[in-house]
Amino acid sequence: QLLRQAAPYLSDDEAAAKENVRAVPAETVEKLAALRAAGRRKAGGTVASALSQLRVALAGPLEAHSKLVAALGASQVQPVPAALSREAVTAKLNTVPTFCLLDGQSRVVGMREEEGATPTACFYTDPAEARAVLESAKRAMPDVRGLHLGVTPLGRAFAACGGWPGDEPQGHIASTLKLQGSAAVREQMGPFLREQAEKQGLPEAAG
């Protein structure tokens, strides 16, 4: 870029050089003339001739690059898109609803998978599965009044479960929070996801 800008002022053509510097201060013109004269004394010639030689040298590689781009069917190299921020990912996740079990005061309700175990409160992505859990909870916990399903955006549910690296699950809830995909997806993708978790050294996720 610098060579291109300087070339008109350092041209080998005296008439062109004078025309190019018409609006340039006299002191600068003198310096340019001296630089042009010094350039002529060098084996490589002036900046203008050096620029010309550079263009000739690049002609072959540039032509080869153009043919390669045309062969690949792309007019230009596509930039790598930037990774989404946590906020952007959360915004996308929040377009998906999840369903959780709540009591009459809209507090999260957990259910024990076995006697003495810590209750687990799930955010279900499958509404049919969530309704089935609600009916089961009404039979298992008749003393809990007002059991119903609440809706939580997936992004918020993911954060509440401590899904982001370095985050901890919400501590003010007595139950263990868990995201629960549909049974069909768990059955189909479960083995693959467990294998990937084991390869990445995540035994808890694999379980």
Side-chain angles (χ1 to χ4, degrees), residues 93-102 106 108 122-125 149-161 170 179:
L93 291 177
N94 280 340
T95 62
V96 180
T98 67
F99 308 89
C100 59
L101 193 62
L102 303 177
S106 294
V108 175
C122 292
F123 295 93
Y124 297 92
T125 60
L149 291 177
V151 179
T152 302
L154 179 56
R156 290 180 56 189
F158 182 74
C161 294
Q170 291 186 0
L179 274 175

Side-chain angles (χ1 to χ4, degrees), residues 33 49 55 67 70 87 131 134 136 147 151 155 177 186:
S49 62
R55 286 173 178 166
K67 290 181 179 178
E87 292 72 20
R131 285 194 293 268
L134 173 61
S136 176
L147 283 174
V151 179
L177 298 179
R186 295 199 304 274

Side-chain angles (χ1 to χ4, degrees), residues 41-198:
R41 291 195 295 270
K42 294 183 179 179
T46 64
V47 172
S49 62
L51 179 59
S52 177
Q53 294 172 17
L54 180 61
R55 286 173 178 166
V56 172
L58 291 177
L62 288 175
E63 182 180 2
H65 178 264
S66 298
K67 290 181 179 178
L68 177 60
V69 170
L72 294 175
S75 59
Q76 60 182 1
V77 178
Q78 298 298 320
V80 177
L84 293 177
S85 65
R86 173 170 172 168
E87 292 72 20
V89 172
T90 299
K92 290 180 179 293
L93 291 177
N94 280 340
T95 62
V96 180
T98 67
F99 308 89
C100 59
L101 193 62
L102 303 177
D103 64 14
Q105 296 181 327
S106 294
R107 294 175 299 193
V108 175
V109 176
M111 298 183 66
R112 288 185 173 86
E113 297 180 359
E114 58 184 33
E115 190 67 27
T118 301
T120 299
C122 292
F123 295 93
Y124 297 92
T125 60
D126 186 342
E129 189 172 351
R131 285 194 293 268
V133 169
L134 173 61
E135 296 305 319
S136 176
K138 287 180 178 179
R139 293 191 296 270
M141 299 181 291
D143 296 337
V144 180
R145 296 185 178 182
L147 283 174
H148 65 284
L149 291 177
V151 179
T152 302
L154 179 56
R156 290 180 56 189
F158 182 74
C161 294
W164 291 101
D167 281 4
E168 295 291 335
Q170 291 186 0
H172 65 279
I173 298 176
S175 302
T176 299
L177 298 179
K178 177 181 176 182
L179 274 175
Q180 187 79 302
S182 69
V185 172
R186 295 199 304 274
E187 181 178 353
Q188 180 180 5
M189 298 296 296
F192 170 76
L193 294 177
R194 280 192 292 272
E195 180 183 354
Q196 294 300 309
E198 290 172 356

